[in-house]
Amino acid sequence: MFRRGWVCLTETTRPSARWPCGANRGGSISTEPRINDRIRVPEVRLVGPSGEQVGIVPLAKALELAQEYDLDLVEVAANARPPVCKLMDYGKFKYESAMKAREARKNQAHTVIKEMKLRPKIDPHDYDTKKGHVVRFLKQGDKVKITIMFRGREQSRPELGYRLLQRLATDVEDLGFIESNPKQDGRNMIMVLGPHKKKTEAMAEAREAQAARKAEAKANPGKSQNAAESDFEGEDIEGEVIGDEDIADDVAAAEVETVEAPAEARADA
């Protein structure tokens, strides 16, 4: 007799030294097809190197043909009765499969939602900067979530945020459209913009532009380097391009100030 709550440890319930509790008794399942001597069936349906149907042959005969053609016997349909095997170069087959999977991953389009936060009383310069980011995101084929953040008494003026969102949507209407109309969410007002271009089209255009730049740089290496140096020297901290005439005017103004300063000092004296 056993008291309630007790468990009798028998041979089926008692943990053993070979299989401790929580251990994974099953090994990892291989996803690769069986080839050559790993195939354990008496007969197979054989497919030739060019895709021709050879028919149902014994496994020994199929292995002999594979050795004769200097190829591998690969099991391509293990669940068929009998299993279907094909004569092929397994190493080349794995390489081509890996390259196809790589190209498929490269062409995959992942939907990404970027977010841009603004304030109702945003400065014009900050608005232009934020709008530039939105334009860049839409050109890349990404969706953009625009969030207007209200603070304090700004919450009683939701029309300010609504007008700002409508203004932004109008400014970028050539690149995107309003996917989700502005709506109030607590202290924030949210709007979602969707791109006119699909992600795959944007990625294709980006790759073409990159290839064109590489080809141009390879054709004119000196010109591309000089252009890069001029672009670097012609930009100030804020990213605005400064022309040569503006630099010359600044230098001339500095020289005039240094020349006229002693004259004014003598006049004061």
Side-chain angles (χ1 to χ4, degrees), residues 6 18 41 59 96 102 105 111 114 126 128 133 150 161 183 193 212-213 230 232 240 248 261:
W6 287 21
R18 185 177 180 183
V41 292
L59 179 61
E96 292 177 352
R102 182 180 178 183
R105 288 194 301 268
T111 302
K114 306 289 187 177
D126 294 338
D128 294 337
H133 292 313
F150 297 95
K183 60 180 180 180
L193 296 176
R213 288 195 299 269
S230 62
F232 178 76
E240 297 179 358

Side-chain angles (χ1 to χ4, degrees), residues 213-234:
R213 288 195 299 269
K214 287 183 179 180
E216 184 179 358
K218 187 176 181 180
N220 301 317
K223 182 178 179 181
S224 60
Q225 184 177 0
N226 295 334
E229 293 177 356
S230 62
D231 292 341
F232 178 76
E233 294 175 356

Side-chain angles (χ1 to χ4, degrees), residues 76-87:
V76 295
N79 296 328
R81 292 293 179 269
V84 180
C85 297
K86 184 177 181 180
L87 298 175

